[in-house]
């Protein structure tokens, strides 16, 4: 049974909440993919800019809260052009002790509901090939792997 929760749309006053959750997310993510976090990628300045970008009208950032505890977030964007409509999930994170309890599912379904109201019919996201749990989670929600994306250092 899912505990009583609240989904809260992010506002400027939520920066500290975002910084705390985002740093925890990055720490866990880089451990999963076997990389070290570069200090330049985890500064308050950079994460604050990222947070402010999420507050733009085309973006989406919500937190999920149980009692007084913020247990996760979802960040995405809606692109609506005359020739192209897509929702994209950039980040989703639930703290460890609340995983596999349906909260990630709730955040994604809420995001998809908002996208549908905007007339968007497709949602994309990226998942690291080493993050098998996330891949299976998205697959169980109906996402399909369509292609491989490759990267190379220059």
């Amino acid at each position: 049974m899912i505990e009583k929760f609240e989904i809260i749309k992010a506002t400027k006053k939520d920066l500290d909440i975002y910084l705390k959750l985002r740093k925890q997310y990055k720490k866990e993510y880089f451990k999963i993919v076997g990389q070290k976090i570069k200090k330049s990628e985890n500064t308050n300045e950079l994460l604050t800019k990222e947070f402010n970008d999420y507050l733009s009208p085309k973006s989406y950032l919500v937190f999920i809260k149980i009692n007084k505890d913020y247990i996760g977030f979802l960040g995405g964007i809606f692109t609506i052009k005359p020739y192209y409509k897509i929702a994209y999930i950039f980040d989703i994170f639930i703290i460890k002790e609340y995983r596999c309890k349906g909260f990630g599912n709730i955040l994604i379904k809420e995001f998809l509901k908002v996208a549908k109201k905007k007339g968007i019919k497709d949602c994309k996201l990226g998942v690291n090939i080493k993050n098998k749990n996330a891949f299976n989670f998205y697959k169980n929600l109906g996402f399909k792997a369509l292609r491989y994306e490759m990267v190379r250092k220059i």
Side-chain angles (χ1 to χ4, degrees):
M1 183 170 164
I2 293 179
E3 298 179 55
K4 188 175 178 186
F5 65 90
E6 188 178 357
I7 295 176
I8 300 162
K9 186 169 174 30
T11 65
K12 284 189 184 261
K13 69 176 178 49
D14 297 320
L15 175 61
D16 288 340
I17 296 161
Y18 181 75
L19 291 175
K20 180 181 174 189
L21 289 170
R22 187 70 165 120
K23 285 181 178 183
Q24 191 174 348
Y25 164 89
K26 282 191 170 233
K27 183 179 175 183
E28 290 183 31
Y29 175 78
F30 280 97
K31 188 176 180 181
I32 289 168
V33 300
Q35 296 176 356
K36 290 185 178 182
I37 301 174
K38 295 177 187 171
K39 287 187 180 188
S40 62
E41 292 179 354
N42 212 28
T43 65
N44 280 355
E45 182 181 336
L46 183 65
L47 296 177
T48 298
K49 181 177 177 353
E50 183 180 272
F51 174 77
N52 288 327
D53 287 346
Y54 272 134
L55 297 180
S56 79
K58 293 179 183 177
S59 295
Y60 179 91
L61 178 63
V62 294
F63 299 103
I64 190 160
K65 181 179 176 185
I66 295 177
N67 301 318
K68 294 180 182 177
D69 298 324
Y70 288 85
I71 65 160
F73 70 91
L74 183 144
I77 190 166
F78 304 112
T79 302
I80 301 171
K81 308 229 181 230
Y83 52 88
Y84 184 76
K85 291 182 182 182
I86 194 83
Y88 194 93
I89 297 172
F90 284 110
D91 298 301
I92 181 170
F93 176 71
I94 302 292
I95 60 174
K96 216 171 224 173
E97 56 265 30
Y98 289 96
R99 290 187 194 149
C100 299
K101 296 185 178 185
F103 296 111
N105 193 335
I106 289 165
L107 286 176
I108 288 179
K109 285 184 177 178
E110 185 65 25
F111 180 76
L112 297 176
K113 189 167 80 176
V114 172
K116 190 173 184 176
K117 285 181 184 176
K118 294 179 177 290
I120 297 171
K121 295 181 180 169
D122 293 302
C123 179
K124 290 183 179 182
L125 54 81
V127 60
N128 189 292
I129 199 163
K130 293 179 182 176
N131 196 345
K132 304 261 185 250
N133 289 339
F135 181 86
N136 290 328
F137 169 69
Y138 300 133
K139 191 174 171 186
N140 289 335
L141 285 171
F143 288 89
K144 294 179 175 115
L146 297 179
R147 63 185 176 96
Y148 290 104
E149 184 174 283
M150 299 171 77
V151 66
R152 178 192 155 176
K153 298 261 186 233
I154 27 180

